[in-house]
Amino acid sequence: MSCSVVITSLFFSDSLGSEGVFQHADKYNGKLLGGLLADGFDEAACTSRYSSFLYRKISLHKPSSNLISRLRSYEDLHKRCGPNTQSYNKALEQLKSGNKIGLTDCNYIVWISFSGLGNRILSLASTFLYALLTNRVLLVDQGKDMADLFCDPFPDKSWLLPGDFPLIDQFDSFNQNSPHCHGNMLKNNAINSSAMSKPSYLYLHLVHDYGDHDKLFFCDGEQSFLENVPWLIMKTDNYYVPSLFLIPSFETELSNLFPEKGTVFHHLGRYLFHPSNHVWGLITRYYRTYLAKADERIGIQIRTFDSRRGPFKHVMDQILACTLKEKLLPAVDMQDSVVNPSENAKLKAVLVTSLLSGYSEDLRNMYWEHPTMTGEVVGVYQPSHEEFQQTEKQMHNRKAWAEMYLLSLTDVLVTSAWSTFGYVAQGLGGLRPWILYKTENDTAPDPACRRAMSMDPCFHAPPFYDCKAKKGIDTGTLVPHVRHCEDISWGLKVVDDHDDL
Ligand code: GDP
């Protein structure tokens, strides 16, 4: 039994008296994550869904009752309109005919599987939020491995787009210049917001290289035009939630759903992304073997965006400067004056994730070769070192997902600037990480890191446009809860008023 199991059970038995109430509250706050998850799924088909709570501390952030009821009504919509329902077949007929004839009772947003795994998780969560805000049904292109990595999050009907979807063979070639691309059509005056007839589908290009016309997606005028298009097909590698907060027609609904604004990915991520049984095996075996017994778990995610291989001395210096200065890890006694750790010395487990093994080897050696000044003992563990990104390989992506999840189970997190891999871990874990700044000119920056303002991820490529005034504007200064990111000065992220800014 893991330490977290004990903590969770103690929490409930201390706080509730009568057995019936205990069981109900235990289930609701425990396996249903405070009402975020619906009851009644087949547990064996997806073990992680109802047992993740055994590995986590209870979240300090409760989902709002509005969010909970919105999720339940989305689940009803998905059941009514999901793959192979009558409504789906009818909408498909419209799509095939190429014309929008009359009203459809279900509108769809299709998310194209694209980019690295961290990017995919964040862009999919953003697209689900967009579906909630616009009453659309979310369907997920399976790509090579979406079904292998994740369980279905909605009851009764799959979120996966059926393999015989008519446009599926064009997904790879959809780009900014595609004839059905919304931005491209705006640029060529091929659509106009007030026209009576609407296309049966549009392609939305929200990839980091998108242009000014694609960015008009974030304007209210375009949102009302899109309302009447039954099929939207979206390709994006971005966490675009912060810019949804700047669209006036979404404002009220967003603050009802998320009174604590900086928890968007925390809740939606825990709702949507349940590791498949293969991946859950990787996570739980590793956790129980190396992390469960520790008094404290520290995650360090190391990602350098450098064309050279590494490991680099300046990055190791930076990791040590950050973790020692912020007292996340104990300093070592180079004189070796303390020889034996006491019987009840605290055990810290450090989980390192990196494509390379060098950083964790150095750290492990340091804590083996020298005692700590505090008397604590430190174990350093790294699940894999895949050397380079291999997105096309099944086991590679399973490991990447397992490692993001394991990082999210730590108590204290250090992440690398610019990395969506780290954002996923911080959001799922409800952790405000210390972010290692991006290095310049092979030197460790000073300061080496800073604490994140909020746990929500950064939108790396936001628009800077005032839709009303039709001119450029700094979108990071318009409202207090959407600010520029700590790690990317032009990025945007959602923060809370009480966040430590
Ligand atoms: P980002 O590039 O850091 O924003 O994150 P992504 O997840 O989108 O893409 C990076 C990809 O590289 C991951 O999905 C993995 O395939 C691989 N990768 C990077 N760092 C690690 C790591 O620490 N462990 C593993 N297993 N894979 C990694």
Side-chain angles (χ1 to χ4, degrees):
M1 192 190 270
S2 76
C3 294
S4 302
V5 177
V6 176
I7 290 165
T8 310
S9 323
L10 281 177
F11 175 83
F12 286 120
S13 52
D14 279 356
S15 55
L16 295 158
S18 114
E19 192 132 306
V21 177
F22 167 76
Q23 280 173 357
H24 176 72
D26 184 19
K27 186 170 171 185
Y28 189 81
N29 290 318
K31 75 178 217 176
L32 301 183
L33 307 181
L36 201 60
L37 305 184
D39 204 357
F41 280 90
D42 172 5
E43 299 204 14
C46 179
T47 317
S48 65
R49 186 186 332 264
Y50 293 139
S51 42
S52 67
F53 79 102
L54 297 171
Y55 293 82
R56 293 191 186 286
K57 289 193 183 134
I58 292 203
S59 174
L60 298 173
H61 311 279
K62 296 248 167 295
S64 69
S65 55
N66 286 322
L67 177 61
I68 292 172
S69 62
R70 191 69 196 80
L71 293 173
R72 295 299 86 82
S73 63
Y74 176 82
E75 288 161 2
D76 291 341
L77 177 78
H78 198 91
K79 188 172 172 182
R80 186 162 60 76
C81 304
N84 307 320
T85 55
Q86 225 178 2
S87 302
Y88 174 83
N89 292 336
K90 195 171 132 204
L92 215 54
E93 283 314 310
Q94 279 206 352
L95 178 66
K96 285 180 192 159
S97 76
N99 280 317
K100 190 186 172 252
I101 332 134
L103 286 175
T104 34
D105 53 350
C106 306
N107 289 334
Y108 297 84
I109 176 116
V110 175
W111 172 90
I112 297 181
S113 182
F114 173 71
S115 190
L117 188 56
N119 289 80
R120 276 193 268 164
I121 291 174
L122 298 183
S123 72
L124 183 47
S126 311
T127 307
F128 178 59
L129 180 60
Y130 181 66
L132 292 183
L133 293 170
T134 55
N135 257 327
R136 286 180 181 272
V137 178
L138 170 69
L139 295 177
V140 169
D141 163 32
Q142 308 192 26
K144 286 204 174 60
D145 56 4
M146 291 303 287
D148 180 68
L149 297 173
F150 304 101
C151 304
D152 259 304
F154 312 130
D156 302 309
K157 285 272 162 221
S158 175
W159 69 343
L160 296 174
L161 183 73
D164 59 359
F165 183 73
L167 301 168
I168 209 161
D169 295 335
Q170 296 176 43
F171 285 179
D172 280 349
S173 60
F174 275 151
N175 65 32
Q176 265 174 304
N177 303 317
S178 301
H180 272 85
C181 176
H182 174 235
N184 191 33
M185 290 175 87
L186 284 174
K187 190 158 89 187
N188 299 327
N189 295 315
I191 42 176
N192 93 52
S193 309
S194 52
M196 291 302 280
S197 94
K198 304 284 191 292
S200 62
Y201 85 91
L202 280 177
Y203 164 65
L204 299 167
H205 186 81
L206 300 187
V207 179
H208 62 271
D209 66 354
Y210 63 160
D212 290 345
H213 287 90
D214 301 307
K215 291 178 187 171
L216 296 176
F217 170 82
F218 293 103
C219 291
D220 252 336
E222 287 313 307
Q223 283 305 322
S224 25
F225 171 76
L226 295 173
E227 254 173 37
N228 296 310
V229 180
W231 289 93
L232 297 179
I233 321 275
M234 185 185 284
K235 192 183 280 185
T236 174
D237 50 1
N238 271 303
Y239 182 72
Y240 59 87
V241 167
S243 291
L244 296 180
F245 273 84
L246 299 177
I247 300 178
S249 58
F250 295 155
E251 227 175 86
T252 313
E253 176 73 344
L254 280 171
S255 42
N256 288 338
L257 295 175
F258 300 99
E260 251 189 296
K261 297 187 173 64
T263 58
V264 175
F265 182 74
H266 179 59
H267 292 312
L268 297 186
R270 285 179 175 209
Y271 174 74
L272 289 174
F273 301 111
H274 305 287
S276 63
N277 285 351
H278 309 288
V279 178
W280 191 237
L282 293 177
I283 295 165
T284 51
R285 285 189 294 276
Y286 202 89
Y287 187 89
R288 287 172 181 215
T289 311
Y290 303 106
L291 305 176
K293 292 172 209 78
D295 296 295
E296 190 179 29
R297 286 159 279 270
I298 295 118
I300 307 183
Q301 182 247 346
I302 307 165
R303 176 106 167 102
T304 51
F305 296 90
D306 195 310
S307 52
R308 298 164 302 167
R309 262 186 60 73
F312 303 108
K313 183 180 175 303
H314 62 275
V315 173
M316 191 66 214
D317 291 345
Q318 183 187 12
I319 295 164
L320 290 175
C322 172
T323 51
L324 298 180
K325 174 157 180 275
E326 300 297 339
K327 303 205 177 338
L328 311 178
L329 289 178
V332 290
D333 174 10
M334 299 305 273
Q335 313 310 318
D336 291 359
S337 50
V338 187
V339 181
N340 294 315
S342 74
E343 283 272 308
N344 43 13
K346 271 198 166 173
L347 170 61
K348 286 199 172 187
V350 183
L351 174 74
V352 175
T353 68
S354 167
L355 287 169
L356 306 174
S357 57
Y359 302 110
S360 68
E361 277 163 18
D362 281 1
L363 207 56
R364 188 179 308 115
N365 281 334
M366 183 176 100
Y367 285 114
W368 184 35
E369 288 168 8
H370 306 286
T372 61
M373 300 293 272
T374 55
E376 292 162 304
V377 286
V378 179
V380 179
Y381 310 99
Q382 177 169 351
S384 77
H385 51 96
E386 292 282 286
E387 311 302 327
F388 52 91
Q389 185 170 340
Q390 305 165 57
T391 306
E392 58 308 324
K393 280 200 192 153
Q394 187 179 65
M395 191 43 111
H396 174 82
N397 284 337
R398 283 184 185 176
K399 285 182 179 170
W401 177 209
E403 287 173 38
M404 286 181 223
Y405 203 98
L406 281 164
L407 285 170
S408 82
L409 301 178
T410 58
D411 305 302
V412 171
L413 185 61
V414 178
T415 56
S416 292
W418 291 47
S419 175
T420 58
F421 193 105
Y423 297 158
V424 171
Q426 76 196 36
L428 290 179
L431 299 162
R432 220 156 39 84
W434 277 263
I435 306 175
L436 297 163
Y437 284 114
K438 205 155 185 293
T439 56
E440 304 277 350
N441 305 325
D442 290 353
T443 17
D446 183 17
C449 62
R450 69 158 281 186
R451 191 89 195 264
M453 296 179 284
S454 75
M455 63 173 115
D456 221 46
C458 175
F459 180 8
H460 287 181
F464 295 104
Y465 187 63
D466 181 335
C467 302
K468 259 199 193 145
K470 296 191 179 359
K471 61 176 175 77
I473 196 168
D474 183 355
T475 42
T477 56
L478 297 178
V479 293
H481 52 275
V482 178
R483 302 242 179 149
H484 286 299
C485 311
E486 308 82 354
D487 53 339
I488 296 193
S489 59
W490 60 90
L492 293 184
K493 73 181 291 183
V494 182
V495 300
D496 273 300
D497 300 336
H498 58 77
D499 281 328
D500 183 10
L501 303 176

